[in-house]
Amino acid sequence: MGLALTLLGAQASAVPGLPSGSSEAVTPTAESISAAFPRLVPRSAESEIGYRGATCWQTDRGYVPSANAGDPEFGNWAWQWRCYDGGDGNDPFYRIYAYHSSVDVQSVVAGLPPSSMTTDVNHGREYTNHQYTDNGNKIITTFSGDAQRATFLMFTDGYGTPGEVMNWWRDAPLN
């Protein structure tokens, strides 16, 4: 199966450097993604190891990777971490996209099949997912209930069964 932060204020935040309650204050870079998801992607742009030993690389719009069959249109993303080959090569691959605004994230979601929306629990916290099968089992996770991470989107894609991909997602360190 296959971000640096710009401060608008000095309030405390769960994401280091991000003002509490703000979703539009993040400069979308590899470092800001790493700060928001420190156990899922490498902790710095110079590192390459993510969750469960996944090999990860990051890119901005200067290099737009080719779309894979069945992938949704990811819209106006600004930066992303792409990770694959975790768990001895058996884990799904995953990407964290960073956008300039939560409106950009919602435009991606608007293009997904409406019947695919689910609410799923990861380590005691609910997230909105869009799940579908098209050349692999796909999960698109939004963080709209978390104002500090509303400009991020996670894409998971795996060739195991839908249950296997969802089990991996439930175990992944999203919090």
Side-chain angles (χ1 to χ4, degrees), residues 23-29 61 76-79 97-105 150-152:
S23 65
E24 307 303 316
V26 174
T27 300
T29 64
R61 297 290 300 190
N76 194 28
W77 59 271
W79 213 283
Y97 289 86
Y99 294 83
H100 287 287
S101 75
S102 57
V103 172
D104 291 333
V105 172
T151 59
F152 299 107

Side-chain angles (χ1 to χ4, degrees), residues 39-40 51-52 94 122-123 154 156 166-175:
R39 296 184 306 137
L40 194 59
Y51 175 58
R52 291 177 39 98
Y94 59 96
N122 174 289
H123 299 282
M154 179 178 175
T156 306
M166 179 50 74
N167 285 340
W168 178 92
W169 181 91
R170 284 188 181 111
D171 288 339
L174 301 186
N175 301 329

